[in-house]
Amino acid sequence: MESGFPELINTRGLRLAIDDAFNWVVIEWGRQLELLFLPVLRLLNSIEDGLLWLPWYVVILAIAGLGYLATRSIMTAIGIVIMLFLTGLIGLWEPAMATIALMLTATALAIIIGIPLGILMSRSDGMQSIMLPILDVMQTMPIFVYLIPFVMLFGPGKIPALLATIVFAVPPVIRLTNLGIRQVDAEVIEAVTAFGATSGQRLFSVQIPLALPTIMAGINQTTMMALSMVVIASMIGAGGLGYQVLQGIQRLEVSRGLLAGLAIVFLAIIFDRIAQAYGRRVQQHLQSS
């Protein structure tokens, strides 16, 4: 039964035009884009191979040591050791390392992209008015929609999974970098300007240090969103813990999905505690100084 809604646009023709345009991009530029992102794939594989090459106890001690340095809590470090040891004990050590490698690579690239964009937004109202709707779309668009063009360009594998993860995870660090710098007290900016500080000196000596707690909150959110993508990323060949969850769904094995989900929760707790504790320490240091 037709709804009777007036069809002002030929949607079939529009879809065909979009598909044809993207197919042209794949044909003409697909090979060049693959070569462009080859260093990123090598970086991801190097991190994963390095984590798997190191003895498991070295990795556990290193992450626990990082947790202790961030939190200054021996109980947190012990908790990290226990959670990572249990992850290996249930036979998910290698998938966990693949997941950590994907998350670290995606988070690092999202930070490298996001912080400069956030700085540009904070220095230009016009840039902010353009970027905010784009960020809204990036955060609300179903992530499966991103997978379609990436898989068409690169085929199933780690690169489309990594790119989809970056697109999904980068908005918080952009937003909060912009917000943190804009919230710096105007009187402080006026004072350093009166002392002859240049625009770059104001940014790196005053604005970014004062905005660092907010920026760290954005980095923490980006890290958690990157980790939340592991299940979806596994559907296009990323592997890791998400692939174990996917196999549990395909085979109707509750135990496989439950154990992999538990390992994902462990990783989320570990990296969330580290990021939050480091952000609090940065804020306390700035307030004390």
Side-chain angles (χ1 to χ4, degrees):
M1 181 177 178
E2 295 186 2
S3 63
F5 195 90
E7 187 175 326
L8 301 179
I9 300 175
N10 184 352
T11 54
R12 176 175 174 79
L14 177 63
R15 290 198 304 269
L16 288 174
I18 294 173
D19 291 342
D20 289 342
F22 200 82
N23 286 332
W24 178 84
V25 172
V26 172
I27 294 170
E28 296 294 329
W29 298 99
R31 180 60 180 169
Q32 290 85 339
L33 288 172
E34 285 184 7
L35 293 175
L36 178 66
F37 286 100
L38 187 59
V40 178
L41 179 61
R42 288 175 177 168
L43 173 64
L44 174 58
N45 288 334
S46 297
I47 294 174
E48 183 177 341
D49 292 342
L51 289 172
L52 292 174
W53 175 77
L54 289 171
W56 61 269
Y57 51 85
V58 173
V59 176
I60 291 178
L61 291 176
I63 297 176
L66 182 63
Y68 177 76
L69 291 175
T71 63
R72 294 291 193 248
S73 169
I74 190 65
M75 295 306 298
T76 300
I78 293 173
I80 291 174
V81 170
I82 292 173
M83 285 186 285
L84 289 176
F85 185 76
L86 287 176
T87 300
L89 205 62
I90 59 179
L92 294 174
W93 182 257
E94 291 188 7
M97 294 303 102
T99 297
I100 290 175
L102 176 62
M103 184 200 68
L104 291 177
T105 306
T107 302
L109 293 175
I111 292 169
I112 291 170
I113 296 167
I115 290 181
L117 285 176
I119 292 172
L120 290 175
M121 283 179 63
S122 70
R123 298 166 74 87
S124 169
D125 291 337
M127 178 73 170
Q128 179 177 249
S129 64
I130 293 172
M131 285 297 299
L132 285 177
I134 295 174
L135 294 175
D136 290 338
V137 171
M138 289 172 67
Q139 288 188 287
T140 55
M141 182 77 73
I143 193 61
F144 289 101
V145 176
Y146 298 125
L147 299 181
I148 299 170
F150 290 142
V151 172
M152 285 183 66
L153 280 170
F154 303 104
K158 294 181 179 179
I159 284 295
L162 181 64
L163 294 177
T165 302
I166 293 171
V167 171
F168 182 69
V170 76
V173 72
I174 298 176
R175 286 184 184 276
L176 290 175
T177 299
N178 171 53
L179 179 64
I181 293 176
R182 285 180 177 271
Q183 286 181 336
V184 174
D185 194 337
E187 294 182 359
V188 176
I189 302 301
E190 291 176 4
V192 297
T193 303
F195 280 102
T198 64
S199 176
Q201 289 172 333
R202 289 196 302 268
L203 176 65
F204 291 104
S205 301
V206 178
Q207 291 175 303
I208 289 180
L210 291 178
L212 200 54
T214 306
I215 295 173
M216 286 301 302
I219 292 174
N220 182 38
Q221 289 187 27
T222 291
T223 304
M224 293 301 99
M225 292 181 72
L227 186 57
S228 70
M229 270 294 296
V230 294
V231 176
I232 296 175
S234 69
M235 297 180 181
I236 54 173
L241 293 169
Y243 181 67
Q244 299 298 317
V245 176
L246 183 62
Q247 281 194 319
I249 295 172
Q250 293 173 337
R251 301 176 183 179
L252 298 179
E253 294 178 356
V254 177
S255 59
R256 183 185 293 270
L258 182 63
L259 292 177
L262 188 63
I264 293 171
V265 170
F266 286 161
L267 295 183
I269 292 173
I270 290 169
F271 288 100
D272 179 62
R273 295 297 183 271
I274 292 174
Q276 283 194 14
Y278 184 73
R280 285 194 299 268
R281 287 190 60 207
V282 168
Q283 187 172 17
Q284 290 170 359
H285 174 72
L286 291 174
Q287 289 174 348
S288 63
S289 61

